[in-house]
């Protein structure tokens, strides 16, 4: 199947990180994505190409100089035929280039304009530089995960860029698409990573506000929700929060008949954690996996990215697929699964400007003339 978004046309103004990942998600669901790359990047930026070797999949690419009027016209011509445009510039840059929301709405009032930024289009930080770590720090999300020394630990850039950023941009775009189809009117989706990270804190704020928890049990401090080192320097993830899972955990650790301190008192967590750590580091990972096989103890191995595709469950679900025709490396399969319009895996990432002539021909624009004028690559 082509996917549930078959027929949806998206113009993606090239960026890095969360914007392209949002494009990947839309492409995975069947949308047609045309990425507008900078003509100046033609044949270069190998590091970016390697870093985006998966999230840039499923597009066509044209290389355009947006600073030239004729280049701007190419983007506006694409916008006329599109349903969605995605950009990740700092606030005001798209407007200065002549491809901002008002510019494209004048050509296509049904267009959904998705904006991906860290701080959003307004507010005192809007024009400041920032990265994932800054956004989740300001939103209160970084403080949730702390190391043994009490210092917050950065969770890579999954929580901010891709969780609070890309997923919320895609959600907003899909909602705005439904509205546009009902009303004929497009709108701007102001997707700020800091907003999404704050939204992801909903459950934690509820627990804090109502006093359900005095201390967060999911930050690695609780002995029943922690990662432990094994004898062979591997790691075991333990998440036995509920009483029935706790009982299975104790049985698997050989502690079922031992009187232990109250696990619900945070004052006892260091003692219990040290006990579990001592027991678990006494045996290799394979032994522990065998000991907990079939048990509802919420105990799993910590897989490396290279091992995850071979995990029996993920392999059975084909959660990872080969990254290239030669079978080298892996890439995540499209998610989530759909029962009727299950999408196929999109094609490989394009080279910058790979489809310039093809796309311009579809627009009825003379590529050779623009190339001679330095407008396209």
């Amino acid at each position: 199947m082509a996917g549930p978004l078959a027929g949806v046309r998206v113009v993606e103004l090239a960026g890095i990180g969360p914007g392209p990942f949002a494009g990947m998600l839309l492409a995975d669901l069947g949308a047609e994505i045309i990425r507008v790359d900078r003509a100046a990047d033609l044949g270069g930026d190998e590091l970016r190409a390697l870093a985006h070797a998966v999230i840039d999949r499923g597009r066509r690419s044209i290389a355009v100089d947006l600073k030239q009027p004729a280049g701007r016209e190419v983007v506006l011509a694409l916008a006329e035929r599109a349903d969605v445009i995605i950009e990740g510039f700092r606030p005001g840059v798209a407007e200065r280039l002549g491809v901002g929301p008002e510019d494209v709405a004048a050509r296509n009032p049904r267009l959904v304009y998705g904006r991906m930024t860290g701080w959003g289009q307004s507010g005192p930080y809007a024009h400041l530089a920032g990265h994932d770590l800054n956004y989740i720090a300001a939103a209160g999300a970084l403080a949730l995960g702390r190391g043994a020394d009490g210092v917050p630990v950065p969770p890579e850039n999954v929580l901010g860029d891709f969780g609070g950023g890309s997923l919320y941009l895609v959600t907003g775009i899909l909602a705005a698409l439904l509205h546009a189809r009902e009303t004929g009117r497009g709108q701007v989706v102001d997707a700020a990573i800091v907003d999404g990270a704050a939204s992801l804190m909903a459950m934690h704020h509820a627990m804090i506000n109502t006093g359900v928890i005095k201390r967060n049990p999911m930050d690695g401090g609780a002995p029943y929700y922690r990662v432990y080192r094994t004898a062979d320097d591997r790691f075991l993830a333990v998440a036995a929060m509920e009483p029935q899972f706790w009982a299975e955990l104790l049985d698997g650790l050989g502690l079922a008949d031992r009187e232990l301190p109250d696990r619900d008192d945070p004052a006892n967590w260091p003692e219990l954690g040290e006990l579990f750590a001592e027991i678990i580091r006494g045996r290799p990972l394979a032994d522990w996996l065998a000991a907990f096989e079939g048990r509802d103890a919420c105990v799993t191995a910590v897989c490396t990215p290279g091992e995850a595709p071979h995990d029996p469950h993920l392999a059975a679900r084909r959660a990872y697929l080969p990254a290239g025709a030669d079978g080298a490396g892996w890439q995540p399969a499209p998610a989530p699964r759909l029962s009727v319009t299950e999408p196929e895996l999109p094609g490989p990432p394009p080279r910058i400007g790979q489809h310039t002539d093809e796309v311009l021909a579809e627009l009825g624009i003379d590529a050779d003339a623009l190339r001679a004028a330095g407008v396209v690559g």
Side-chain angles (χ1 to χ4, degrees):
M1 299 291 293
L5 295 185
V8 173
R9 293 178 171 178
V10 180
V11 177
E12 176 191 345
L13 304 185
I16 59 173
F21 184 67
M24 186 200 86
L25 296 176
L26 294 172
D28 284 356
L29 292 172
E32 176 191 342
I33 314 281
I34 295 176
R35 190 181 70 210
V36 180
D37 285 299
R38 297 195 316 161
D41 291 338
L42 194 65
D45 206 354
E46 181 180 357
L47 181 60
R48 177 195 178 280
L50 293 173
H52 282 222
V54 172
I55 66 175
D56 276 354
R57 69 191 185 195
R59 277 95 154 158
R60 292 190 292 169
S61 167
I62 66 173
V64 180
D65 183 356
L66 278 176
K67 294 181 179 180
Q68 295 198 44
R72 179 175 63 248
E73 281 301 316
V74 169
V75 173
L76 294 176
L78 286 170
E80 287 182 358
R81 296 157 48 95
D83 301 288
V84 178
I85 191 167
I86 296 174
E87 60 94 350
F89 303 131
R90 285 203 201 187
V93 172
E95 285 82 353
R96 289 197 295 272
L97 291 171
V99 293
E102 292 185 6
D103 302 299
V104 299
R107 306 284 280 267
N108 181 357
R110 297 175 59 91
L111 190 77
V112 172
Y113 198 105
R115 315 196 81 164
M116 182 77 265
T117 60
W119 299 117
Q121 300 297 313
S122 62
Y125 301 165
H127 293 276
L128 293 179
H131 279 297
D132 176 284
L133 192 63
N134 307 117
Y135 312 135
I136 65 173
L142 178 61
L144 292 179
R146 299 173 183 266
D149 57 2
V151 177
V153 178
E156 281 284 338
N157 65 333
V158 174
L159 175 59
D161 282 350
F162 302 125
S166 306
L167 294 181
Y168 280 81
L169 175 59
V170 170
T171 300
I173 285 172
L174 295 179
L177 271 175
L178 289 175
H179 177 264
R181 290 187 172 182
E182 288 289 330
T183 67
R185 182 184 176 190
Q187 60 185 299
V188 176
V189 179
D190 178 5
I193 295 170
V194 69
D195 292 348
S199 176
L200 290 170
M201 292 282 292
M203 184 184 76
H204 298 85
H205 277 292
M207 291 191 294
I208 293 167
N209 295 343
T210 57
V212 170
I213 59 170
K214 302 301 182 183
R215 180 177 170 186
N216 180 13
M218 294 178 285
D219 65 357
Y224 51 79
Y225 203 90
R226 190 182 294 188
V227 176
Y228 293 94
R229 189 184 299 270
T230 62
D232 51 347
D233 209 28
R234 297 299 304 276
F235 296 96
L236 197 68
V238 173
M241 295 186 69
E242 290 80 0
Q244 67 271 28
F245 305 144
W246 171 257
E248 288 287 348
L249 173 66
L250 296 183
D251 193 35
L253 293 176
L255 296 171
D257 299 324
R258 182 166 171 176
E259 187 173 346
L260 298 173
D262 179 10
R263 71 161 208 159
D264 293 323
D265 184 352
N268 296 325
W269 288 359
E271 179 184 349
L272 287 168
E274 290 173 10
L275 173 63
F276 290 178
E278 180 181 359
I279 293 173
I280 291 172
R281 66 171 169 256
R283 296 168 62 183
L285 178 63
D287 282 8
W288 288 119
L289 295 181
F292 284 101
E293 185 175 4
R295 288 180 180 267
D296 271 343
C298 301
V299 173
T300 51
V302 176
C303 294
T304 66
E307 293 169 335
H310 306 288
D311 175 271
H313 183 78
L314 274 70
R317 287 182 59 82
R318 299 188 74 225
Y320 286 90
L321 301 173
D326 57 1
W330 297 90
Q331 62 181 317
R337 314 293 172 90
L338 290 95
S339 63
V340 176
T341 54
E342 186 71 13
E344 299 172 352
L345 182 68
R351 300 185 310 275
I352 291 177
Q354 179 178 344
H355 305 96
T356 299
D357 289 11
E358 175 184 310
V359 172
L360 292 180
E362 293 171 3
L363 297 174
I365 297 174
D366 187 342
D368 292 335
L370 291 186
R371 187 169 289 109
V375 176
V376 301

